[in-house]
Amino acid sequence: MPTTLYGSPSTASLVVHWLLIELGVEHELVLLDFETRQHKSDAYLALNPAGVVPTLVMDGHVLTEAAAIALHLADLHPQAGLLPAPGTAERGEAYRWMFWCANTVQPAYRAWFYAHEMAGPDSAGATREMARERLQAAWQRLSDHLQAGGPYMLGAQLSVVDLMLVMLLRWSRNMPVPSDTWPVLKAYADRLKARPAFIEVYRREGITDWR
């Protein structure tokens, strides 16, 4: 059965799209138009009741949540070496950082971009300021970690964690203090952005910024 990725440019589906290309997985890309609310259509909600992206349909199974999909794809393709062996300390580190992305960084971004939804109009300003501080603290933590034990998040070996993080670093590009303000993070992101699969994701999704 065909593999189909439902996403939208510059959203959390980017890491899944990038990973599919990186792994050489043949797939169909369906880009949803958020302006016309295609992600809230009855047909899409039947696949993903949350009405968000990404959704990956693979072998008839519906998968959601970017970090979970990324880990699953890496597991399906162990020859790519994008996850350490199960049961190792390094595998535990990969889980730790992926959950940190999903539980710490992504919620802070949601508070920044959708402060009015989370806190109401009267508290939106304070919510955005809190989110900005949390994200800047996250970038400092990443910078320190990479400087001490890089060049990648798990050391010498590229992993799925790096793809997830570079997507999240990109989301800060229009914030008051973007992630590439930290020289270590800029060098890290530039290293990943030079990969052919990342360049191909940009081409297929029509993305032109943060090159």
Coordinates of all heavy atoms in Angstrom, one line a residue, residues 112-202:
W112 N 3.8 30.9 22.1 CA 4.2 32.1 21.4 C 3.3 32.5 20.2 O 2.9 33.6 20.1 CB 5.7 31.9 20.9 CG 6.2 33.0 20.0 CD1 6.2 33.0 18.6 CD2 6.6 34.3 20.4 NE1 6.6 34.2 18.1 CE2 6.9 35.0 19.2 CE3 6.9 34.9 21.6 CZ2 7.4 36.3 19.2 CZ3 7.4 36.2 21.6 CH2 7.6 36.9 20.4
F113 N 3.0 31.5 19.4 CA 2.3 31.7 18.2 C 0.8 31.8 18.4 O 0.1 32.5 17.7 CB 2.5 30.6 17.2 CG 3.9 30.7 16.5 CD1 4.8 29.6 16.7 CD2 4.3 31.8 15.8 CE1 6.1 29.7 16.2 CE2 5.6 31.8 15.2 CZ 6.5 30.8 15.4
Y114 N 0.3 31.2 19.5 CA -1.2 31.2 19.7 C -1.5 31.6 21.1 O -2.4 31.0 21.8 CB -1.7 29.7 19.4 CG -1.4 29.2 18.0 CD1 -0.4 28.3 17.8 CD2 -2.2 29.7 17.0 CE1 -0.1 27.9 16.5 CE2 -1.9 29.2 15.7 CZ -0.9 28.3 15.5 OH -0.7 27.9 14.2
A115 N -0.8 32.6 21.6 CA -1.0 33.1 23.0 C -2.5 33.5 23.2 O -3.0 33.2 24.3 CB -0.1 34.3 23.2
H116 N -3.1 34.1 22.3 CA -4.5 34.5 22.5 C -5.4 33.3 22.7 O -6.4 33.4 23.5 CB -5.0 35.3 21.3 CG -5.0 34.6 20.0 ND1 -3.8 34.2 19.4 CD2 -6.0 34.1 19.2 CE1 -4.1 33.6 18.2 NE2 -5.4 33.5 18.1
E117 N -5.1 32.2 22.1 CA -6.0 31.0 22.3 C -5.7 30.3 23.6 O -6.6 29.8 24.2 CB -5.7 29.9 21.1 CG -6.1 30.4 19.8 CD -5.8 29.3 18.7 OE1 -5.4 28.2 19.1 OE2 -6.1 29.5 17.5
M118 N -4.5 30.4 24.1 CA -4.1 29.7 25.3 C -4.5 30.5 26.5 O -4.8 29.9 27.6 CB -2.6 29.3 25.3 CG -2.2 28.4 24.2 SD -0.5 27.9 24.3 CE -0.5 26.9 25.8
A119 N -4.3 31.8 26.4 CA -4.5 32.6 27.7 C -5.5 33.7 27.6 O -5.8 34.3 28.6 CB -3.1 33.3 28.0
G120 N -6.1 33.8 26.4 CA -7.1 34.9 26.2 C -6.4 36.2 25.9 O -5.3 36.4 26.2
P121 N -7.2 37.2 25.3 CA -6.6 38.4 24.9 C -5.9 39.2 26.0 O -4.9 39.9 25.8 CB -7.7 39.2 24.2 CG -9.0 38.5 24.7 CD -8.6 37.1 25.0
D122 N -6.5 39.2 27.2 CA -5.9 40.0 28.3 C -4.6 39.5 28.8 O -3.8 40.3 29.3 CB -6.9 40.0 29.5 CG -8.2 40.7 29.1 OD1 -8.2 41.5 28.2 OD2 -9.2 40.5 29.8
S123 N -4.3 38.2 28.6 CA -3.0 37.7 29.1 C -2.1 37.3 28.0 O -1.0 36.7 28.2 CB -3.3 36.5 30.0 OG -4.1 36.8 31.1
A124 N -2.4 37.6 26.7 CA -1.6 37.1 25.6 C -0.2 37.7 25.6 O 0.8 36.9 25.4 CB -2.3 37.5 24.3
G125 N -0.1 38.9 26.0 CA 1.3 39.5 26.0 C 2.2 38.9 27.0 O 3.3 38.6 26.7
A126 N 1.7 38.6 28.2 CA 2.5 38.0 29.2 C 2.8 36.5 28.9 O 3.9 36.0 29.1 CB 1.7 38.0 30.6
T127 N 1.9 35.9 28.2 CA 2.1 34.5 27.8 C 3.2 34.4 26.7 O 4.1 33.6 26.8 CB 0.8 33.9 27.2 OG1 -0.2 33.9 28.3 CG2 1.0 32.5 26.7
R128 N 3.2 35.4 25.8 CA 4.2 35.4 24.7 C 5.6 35.7 25.4 O 6.6 35.1 24.9 CB 3.9 36.4 23.7 CG 2.8 36.0 22.7 CD 2.3 37.1 21.8 NE 3.4 37.7 21.0 CZ 3.8 37.3 19.8 NH1 3.2 36.2 19.3 NH2 4.7 37.9 19.1
E129 N 5.6 36.6 26.3 CA 6.9 36.9 27.0 C 7.4 35.6 27.7 O 8.6 35.3 27.6 CB 6.7 38.0 27.9 CG 8.0 38.4 28.7 CD 9.1 38.9 27.8 OE1 8.9 39.2 26.7 OE2 10.3 38.8 28.3
M130 N 6.6 34.9 28.4 CA 7.0 33.7 29.1 C 7.5 32.7 28.0 O 8.5 32.0 28.3 CB 5.8 33.1 29.8 CG 6.1 31.8 30.5 SD 4.6 30.9 31.0 CE 3.9 30.5 29.4
A131 N 6.8 32.5 26.9 CA 7.2 31.6 25.9 C 8.6 32.0 25.3 O 9.4 31.1 25.1 CB 6.2 31.5 24.8
R132 N 8.8 33.3 25.1 CA 10.0 33.8 24.5 C 11.2 33.4 25.5 O 12.2 32.9 25.0 CB 10.0 35.3 24.3 CG 11.3 35.8 23.7 CD 11.3 37.4 23.7 NE 11.2 37.9 25.0 CZ 12.3 38.0 25.8 NH1 13.5 37.6 25.4 NH2 12.2 38.5 27.0
E133 N 11.0 33.6 26.8 CA 12.0 33.3 27.7 C 12.3 31.8 27.8 O 13.5 31.4 27.9 CB 11.6 33.8 29.1 CG 11.5 35.3 29.3 CD 11.0 35.8 30.6 OE1 10.6 34.9 31.4 OE2 11.0 37.0 30.8
R134 N 11.3 31.0 27.7 CA 11.5 29.6 27.7 C 12.2 29.1 26.5 O 13.1 28.2 26.6 CB 10.1 28.8 27.9 CG 9.5 29.0 29.2 CD 8.2 28.2 29.3 NE 7.7 28.3 30.7 CZ 6.6 27.7 31.1 NH1 5.9 26.9 30.2 NH2 6.1 27.8 32.3
L135 N 11.9 29.6 25.4 CA 12.6 29.2 24.1 C 14.1 29.7 24.2 O 15.0 28.9 23.8 CB 11.9 29.7 22.9 CG 10.6 29.0 22.6 CD1 9.7 29.8 21.6 CD2 10.8 27.6 22.1
Q136 N 14.3 30.9 24.6 CA 15.7 31.3 24.7 C 16.5 30.5 25.7 O 17.7 30.2 25.4 CB 15.8 32.8 25.0 CG 15.3 33.7 23.9 CD 15.3 35.2 24.2 OE1 14.6 35.9 23.6 NE2 16.1 35.6 25.2
A137 N 15.9 30.1 26.8 CA 16.6 29.2 27.7 C 16.8 27.8 27.1 O 17.9 27.2 27.3 CB 15.7 29.0 29.0
A138 N 15.9 27.4 26.2 CA 16.1 26.1 25.5 C 17.3 26.2 24.6 O 18.1 25.3 24.5 CB 14.8 25.7 24.8
W139 N 17.4 27.3 23.9 CA 18.5 27.5 22.9 C 19.8 27.5 23.6 O 20.8 27.0 23.1 CB 18.3 28.7 22.0 CG 17.0 28.8 21.3 CD1 16.3 29.9 20.9 CD2 16.2 27.7 20.8 NE1 15.2 29.6 20.3 CE2 15.1 28.2 20.2 CE3 16.3 26.3 20.8 CZ2 14.1 27.4 19.6 CZ3 15.3 25.5 20.3 CH2 14.2 26.1 19.6
Q140 N 19.8 28.2 24.8 CA 21.1 28.2 25.6 C 21.5 26.8 26.0 O 22.6 26.4 26.0 CB 20.9 29.1 26.8 CG 22.2 29.3 27.6 CD 23.3 29.9 26.7 OE1 23.2 31.0 26.2 NE2 24.5 29.2 26.6
R141 N 20.5 26.0 26.4 CA 20.7 24.6 26.9 C 21.3 23.8 25.7 O 22.3 23.0 25.9 CB 19.5 24.0 27.4 CG 19.7 22.6 27.9 CD 18.4 22.0 28.5 NE 18.7 20.6 28.9 CZ 17.7 19.8 29.3 NH1 16.5 20.2 29.4 NH2 18.0 18.5 29.7
L142 N 20.7 23.9 24.5 CA 21.2 23.2 23.4 C 22.6 23.6 23.0 O 23.4 22.8 22.7 CB 20.2 23.5 22.2 CG 18.9 22.7 22.2 CD1 18.1 23.1 20.9 CD2 19.1 21.2 22.2
S143 N 22.8 24.9 23.0 CA 24.2 25.4 22.7 C 25.2 24.8 23.6 O 26.3 24.4 23.2 CB 24.2 26.9 22.7 OG 25.5 27.4 22.4
D144 N 24.9 24.8 24.9 CA 25.9 24.3 25.9 C 26.1 22.8 25.7 O 27.2 22.3 25.7 CB 25.3 24.5 27.3 CG 25.3 26.0 27.7 OD1 26.0 26.8 27.0 OD2 24.6 26.3 28.7
H145 N 25.0 22.1 25.4 CA 25.1 20.6 25.1 C 25.9 20.3 23.9 O 26.8 19.5 24.0 CB 23.7 20.0 25.0 CG 23.7 18.6 24.6 ND1 23.9 17.6 25.6 CD2 23.5 18.0 23.4 CE1 23.8 16.4 25.0 NE2 23.6 16.6 23.7
L146 N 25.7 21.0 22.8 CA 26.4 20.8 21.6 C 27.9 21.2 21.7 O 28.8 20.5 21.2 CB 25.8 21.5 20.4 CG 24.4 20.9 20.0 CD1 23.7 21.9 19.0 CD2 24.7 19.6 19.2
Q147 N 28.1 22.2 22.4 CA 29.5 22.7 22.6 C 30.3 21.7 23.4 O 31.5 21.4 23.2 CB 29.5 24.1 23.3 CG 30.9 24.8 23.2 CD 30.8 26.2 23.4 OE1 29.8 26.7 24.0 NE2 31.7 27.0 22.9
A148 N 29.6 21.1 24.4 CA 30.3 20.1 25.2 C 30.5 18.7 24.6 O 31.5 18.0 24.9 CB 29.6 20.0 26.6
G149 N 29.5 18.3 23.8 CA 29.5 16.9 23.3 C 29.1 16.7 21.9 O 28.7 15.6 21.5
G150 N 29.1 17.8 21.0 CA 28.7 17.6 19.6 C 29.6 16.8 18.8 O 30.5 16.1 19.3
P151 N 29.5 16.9 17.5 CA 28.8 17.9 16.7 C 27.3 17.7 16.6 O 26.5 18.6 16.2 CB 29.4 17.9 15.3 CG 29.8 16.4 15.2 CD 30.2 16.0 16.6
Y152 N 26.8 16.5 17.0 CA 25.4 16.2 17.0 C 24.8 16.0 18.4 O 25.6 15.9 19.3 CB 25.1 15.0 16.1 CG 25.5 15.2 14.7 CD1 26.6 14.5 14.2 CD2 24.9 16.1 13.8 CE1 27.0 14.7 12.8 CE2 25.3 16.3 12.5 CZ 26.4 15.6 12.0 OH 26.8 15.8 10.7
M153 N 23.5 15.9 18.5 CA 22.9 15.8 19.8 C 23.4 14.6 20.6 O 23.5 14.6 21.8 CB 21.4 15.9 19.8 CG 20.9 17.2 19.4 SD 21.3 18.5 20.5 CE 20.5 18.0 22.0
L154 N 23.6 13.5 19.9 CA 24.1 12.2 20.5 C 25.6 12.0 20.4 O 26.1 10.9 20.5 CB 23.3 11.0 20.0 CG 21.8 11.1 20.1 CD1 21.1 9.8 19.6 CD2 21.3 11.4 21.5
G155 N 26.3 13.1 20.0 CA 27.7 13.0 19.9 C 28.2 13.0 18.5 O 27.8 13.9 17.7
A156 N 28.9 12.0 18.0 CA 29.5 12.0 16.7 C 28.5 11.5 15.6 O 28.7 11.8 14.5 CB 30.7 11.0 16.7
Q157 N 27.4 10.8 16.0 CA 26.5 10.2 15.1 C 25.3 11.1 14.9 O 24.6 11.4 15.8 CB 26.1 8.8 15.5 CG 25.2 8.1 14.6 CD 25.9 7.8 13.2 OE1 27.0 7.5 13.1 NE2 25.1 8.0 12.2
L158 N 25.0 11.4 13.6 CA 23.7 12.0 13.3 C 22.5 11.1 13.7 O 22.6 9.9 13.6 CB 23.6 12.3 11.8 CG 22.3 12.8 11.2 CD1 22.2 14.3 11.5 CD2 22.2 12.6 9.7
S159 N 21.5 11.7 14.2 CA 20.3 10.9 14.6 C 19.0 11.7 14.3 O 19.0 12.8 13.9 CB 20.3 10.6 16.1 OG 20.0 11.8 16.9
V160 N 17.9 11.0 14.4 CA 16.6 11.6 14.2 C 16.4 12.8 15.1 O 15.6 13.7 14.7 CB 15.5 10.5 14.3 CG1 15.3 10.1 15.8 CG2 14.2 11.0 13.7
V161 N 17.0 12.8 16.2 CA 16.9 14.0 17.1 C 17.3 15.2 16.5 O 16.7 16.3 16.6 CB 17.7 13.7 18.4 CG1 17.6 14.9 19.3 CG2 17.2 12.5 19.1
D162 N 18.4 15.1 15.7 CA 18.9 16.3 15.0 C 17.9 16.9 14.0 O 17.8 18.1 13.9 CB 20.3 16.0 14.3 CG 21.3 15.5 15.3 OD1 21.6 16.3 16.2 OD2 21.8 14.4 15.3
L163 N 17.3 16.0 13.3 CA 16.3 16.5 12.3 C 15.2 17.2 13.0 O 14.7 18.3 12.5 CB 15.8 15.3 11.4 CG 16.6 14.9 10.2 CD1 18.0 14.3 10.7 CD2 15.9 13.9 9.4
M164 N 14.7 16.6 14.1 CA 13.6 17.2 14.8 C 14.0 18.6 15.3 O 13.2 19.6 15.2 CB 13.2 16.3 16.0 CG 12.0 16.8 16.8 SD 10.5 16.5 16.0 CE 9.3 17.1 17.2
L165 N 15.2 18.7 15.9 CA 15.6 20.0 16.5 C 15.9 21.0 15.4 O 15.5 22.2 15.7 CB 16.9 19.7 17.3 CG 16.7 19.3 18.7 CD1 17.9 18.9 19.4 CD2 16.0 20.4 19.5
V166 N 16.4 20.7 14.3 CA 16.6 21.7 13.3 C 15.3 22.3 12.8 O 15.2 23.5 12.5 CB 17.5 21.2 12.1 CG1 17.5 22.1 10.9 CG2 18.9 21.0 12.6
M167 N 14.3 21.4 12.7 CA 13.0 22.0 12.3 C 12.5 23.0 13.4 O 12.0 24.1 13.0 CB 12.0 20.8 12.2 CG 10.6 21.3 11.9 SD 9.3 20.0 12.0 CE 9.2 19.8 13.8
L168 N 12.7 22.7 14.6 CA 12.3 23.5 15.7 C 13.1 24.8 15.8 O 12.6 25.9 16.0 CB 12.3 22.8 17.1 CG 11.3 21.6 17.2 CD1 11.6 20.9 18.5 CD2 9.9 22.1 17.0
L169 N 14.4 24.7 15.5 CA 15.2 25.9 15.4 C 14.8 26.8 14.4 O 14.7 28.1 14.5 CB 16.7 25.5 15.2 CG 17.4 24.8 16.3 CD1 18.8 24.3 15.8 CD2 17.6 25.6 17.5
R170 N 14.3 26.3 13.3 CA 13.8 27.1 12.1 C 12.6 27.9 12.5 O 12.5 29.1 12.1 CB 13.5 26.2 11.0 CG 13.0 26.9 9.7 CD 12.6 26.0 8.6 NE 12.1 26.8 7.5 CZ 10.8 27.1 7.4 NH1 9.9 26.6 8.3 NH2 10.4 27.8 6.4
W171 N 11.8 27.4 13.4 CA 10.5 28.1 13.7 C 10.8 29.4 14.5 O 9.9 30.3 14.5 CB 9.7 27.2 14.6 CG 9.1 26.1 13.9 CD1 9.1 25.7 12.6 CD2 8.2 25.0 14.5 NE1 8.4 24.6 12.3 CE2 7.9 24.1 13.5 CE3 7.8 24.8 15.8 CZ2 7.1 23.0 13.7 CZ3 7.0 23.7 16.0 CH2 6.6 22.8 15.0
S172 N 12.0 29.6 15.0 CA 12.3 30.8 15.7 C 12.8 31.9 14.8 O 13.1 33.0 15.3 CB 13.4 30.5 16.7 OG 14.7 30.3 16.1
R173 N 12.9 31.7 13.5 CA 13.6 32.6 12.6 C 13.0 34.0 12.6 O 13.8 35.0 12.3 CB 13.5 32.1 11.2 CG 12.1 32.0 10.6 CD 12.1 31.1 9.3 NE 10.8 31.0 8.7 CZ 9.8 30.2 9.1 NH1 10.0 29.5 10.2 NH2 8.6 30.2 8.5
N174 N 11.8 34.2 12.9 CA 11.2 35.6 13.0 C 10.9 36.1 14.4 O 10.3 37.1 14.6 CB 9.9 35.6 12.2 CG 10.1 35.4 10.7 OD1 11.1 35.9 10.1 ND2 9.3 34.6 10.1
M175 N 11.5 35.4 15.4 CA 11.3 35.8 16.8 C 12.3 36.9 17.1 O 13.3 37.1 16.4 CB 11.5 34.6 17.7 CG 10.3 33.6 17.6 SD 10.4 32.3 18.8 CE 10.1 33.2 20.3
P176 N 12.1 37.6 18.2 CA 13.0 38.7 18.6 C 14.5 38.3 18.7 O 15.4 39.0 18.3 CB 12.5 39.2 19.9 CG 11.0 38.9 19.8 CD 10.9 37.6 19.1
V177 N 14.7 37.1 19.3 CA 16.0 36.5 19.4 C 16.0 35.1 18.7 O 15.7 34.1 19.4 CB 16.5 36.4 20.8 CG1 17.9 35.9 20.9 CG2 16.4 37.8 21.5
P178 N 16.2 35.0 17.4 CA 16.2 33.7 16.8 C 17.3 32.7 17.2 O 18.3 33.2 17.8 CB 16.3 34.0 15.3 CG 17.0 35.3 15.3 CD 16.6 36.1 16.5
S179 N 17.1 31.5 17.0 CA 18.1 30.5 17.5 C 19.5 30.7 16.9 O 20.5 30.4 17.6 CB 17.6 29.1 17.2 OG 17.4 28.9 15.8
D180 N 19.6 31.2 15.7 CA 20.9 31.3 15.1 C 21.7 32.5 15.6 O 22.8 32.8 15.1 CB 20.8 31.3 13.5 CG 19.9 32.4 13.0 OD1 19.5 33.3 13.7 OD2 19.6 32.3 11.8
T181 N 21.1 33.2 16.6 CA 21.9 34.2 17.4 C 23.0 33.5 18.1 O 24.1 34.1 18.4 CB 21.0 34.9 18.4 OG1 19.9 35.5 17.6 CG2 21.7 36.0 19.2
W182 N 22.8 32.2 18.5 CA 23.8 31.4 19.2 C 24.8 30.8 18.1 O 24.3 30.0 17.3 CB 23.2 30.3 20.0 CG 22.6 30.7 21.3 CD1 23.2 30.6 22.5 CD2 21.3 31.4 21.5 NE1 22.3 31.1 23.5 CE2 21.2 31.6 22.9 CE3 20.3 31.8 20.7 CZ2 20.1 32.2 23.4 CZ3 19.2 32.4 21.2 CH2 19.1 32.6 22.6
P183 N 26.0 31.2 18.0 CA 26.9 30.7 17.0 C 27.0 29.2 16.9 O 27.0 28.6 15.8 CB 28.3 31.3 17.4 CG 28.0 32.5 18.1 CD 26.7 32.2 18.9
V184 N 27.0 28.5 18.0 CA 27.0 27.0 18.0 C 25.8 26.5 17.3 O 25.8 25.5 16.5 CB 27.1 26.5 19.4 CG1 27.0 25.0 19.4 CG2 28.4 26.9 20.0
L185 N 24.6 27.1 17.6 CA 23.4 26.6 17.0 C 23.3 26.9 15.5 O 22.8 26.1 14.7 CB 22.2 27.2 17.7 CG 22.0 26.8 19.2 CD1 20.7 27.3 19.7 CD2 22.1 25.3 19.4
K186 N 23.9 28.1 15.1 CA 23.9 28.4 13.7 C 24.8 27.4 12.9 O 24.4 26.9 11.9 CB 24.4 29.8 13.5 CG 24.4 30.2 12.0 CD 24.9 31.6 11.8 CE 24.6 32.1 10.3 NZ 25.2 31.1 9.3
A187 N 25.9 27.1 13.5 CA 26.8 26.1 12.8 C 26.2 24.8 12.7 O 26.3 24.0 11.7 CB 28.2 26.1 13.5
Y188 N 25.5 24.4 13.8 CA 24.8 23.1 13.9 C 23.7 23.0 12.8 O 23.6 22.1 12.0 CB 24.2 22.9 15.2 CG 23.3 21.8 15.5 CD1 23.7 20.5 15.5 CD2 21.9 22.1 15.8 CE1 22.8 19.4 15.7 CE2 21.0 21.0 16.0 CZ 21.5 19.7 16.0 OH 20.6 18.7 16.2
A189 N 22.9 24.1 12.7 CA 21.8 24.1 11.7 C 22.3 24.1 10.3 O 21.8 23.4 9.4 CB 20.9 25.3 12.0
D190 N 23.4 24.9 10.1 CA 23.9 25.0 8.7 C 24.4 23.6 8.3 O 24.3 23.3 7.1 CB 25.1 26.0 8.7 CG 24.6 27.4 8.8 OD1 23.4 27.7 8.6 OD2 25.4 28.3 9.0
R191 N 25.0 22.9 9.2 CA 25.5 21.5 8.9 C 24.3 20.6 8.4 O 24.5 19.9 7.4 CB 26.2 20.9 10.1 CG 27.0 19.6 9.9 CD 27.6 19.2 11.1 NE 28.4 20.2 11.8 CZ 28.2 20.7 13.0 NH1 27.2 20.2 13.7 NH2 28.9 21.7 13.5
L192 N 23.2 20.7 9.1 CA 22.1 19.9 8.7 C 21.4 20.4 7.5 O 20.9 19.6 6.6 CB 21.1 19.9 9.9 CG 21.2 18.8 11.0 CD1 21.0 17.4 10.4 CD2 22.6 18.8 11.6
K193 N 21.3 21.7 7.3 CA 20.7 22.3 6.1 C 21.4 22.0 4.9 O 20.8 22.1 3.8 CB 20.5 23.8 6.3 CG 19.5 24.2 7.3 CD 19.2 25.7 7.3 CE 20.3 26.6 7.9 NZ 20.0 28.0 7.9
A194 N 22.7 21.7 4.9 CA 23.5 21.3 3.8 C 23.2 19.9 3.2 O 23.6 19.6 2.1 CB 25.0 21.5 4.1
R195 N 22.4 19.1 4.0 CA 22.1 17.8 3.6 C 21.2 17.8 2.3 O 20.2 18.6 2.3 CB 21.5 17.0 4.7 CG 22.4 16.8 5.9 CD 21.8 15.9 6.9 NE 21.7 14.5 6.5 CZ 22.7 13.6 6.5 NH1 23.9 14.0 7.0 NH2 22.5 12.4 6.1
P196 N 21.5 16.9 1.3 CA 20.6 16.9 0.1 C 19.1 16.7 0.4 O 18.3 17.3 -0.2 CB 21.2 15.8 -0.7 CG 22.6 15.7 -0.2 CD 22.6 16.0 1.2
A197 N 18.8 15.9 1.4 CA 17.4 15.7 1.7 C 16.7 16.9 2.2 O 15.5 17.2 1.9 CB 17.3 14.5 2.7
F198 N 17.4 17.8 3.0 CA 16.8 19.0 3.5 C 16.6 20.0 2.3 O 15.5 20.6 2.2 CB 17.7 19.7 4.5 CG 17.2 20.9 5.2 CD1 16.4 20.8 6.3 CD2 17.4 22.2 4.6 CE1 15.8 22.0 6.8 CE2 16.9 23.3 5.2 CZ 16.1 23.2 6.3
I199 N 17.6 20.0 1.4 CA 17.4 20.9 0.3 C 16.2 20.5 -0.6 O 15.5 21.3 -1.1 CB 18.7 20.9 -0.5 CG1 19.9 21.5 0.3 CG2 18.6 21.6 -1.9 CD1 21.3 21.3 -0.3
E200 N 16.1 19.1 -0.7 CA 15.0 18.6 -1.5 C 13.6 18.9 -0.8 O 12.6 19.2 -1.5 CB 15.2 17.1 -1.7 CG 14.1 16.4 -2.5 CD 14.0 16.9 -4.0 OE1 14.9 17.7 -4.4 OE2 13.0 16.6 -4.6
V201 N 13.6 18.8 0.5 CA 12.3 19.2 1.2 C 11.9 20.6 0.9 O 10.7 20.9 0.6 CB 12.5 19.0 2.7 CG1 11.3 19.7 3.5 CG2 12.5 17.6 3.1
Y202 N 12.9 21.5 0.9 CA 12.6 22.9 0.6 C 12.1 23.0 -0.8 O 11.1 23.8 -1.1 CB 13.9 23.7 0.7 CG 14.0 24.5 2.0 CD1 13.7 23.9 3.2 CD2 14.4 25.8 2.0 CE1 13.8 24.6 4.4 CE2 14.5 26.6 3.2 CZ 14.2 25.9 4.4 OH 14.3 26.7 5.6

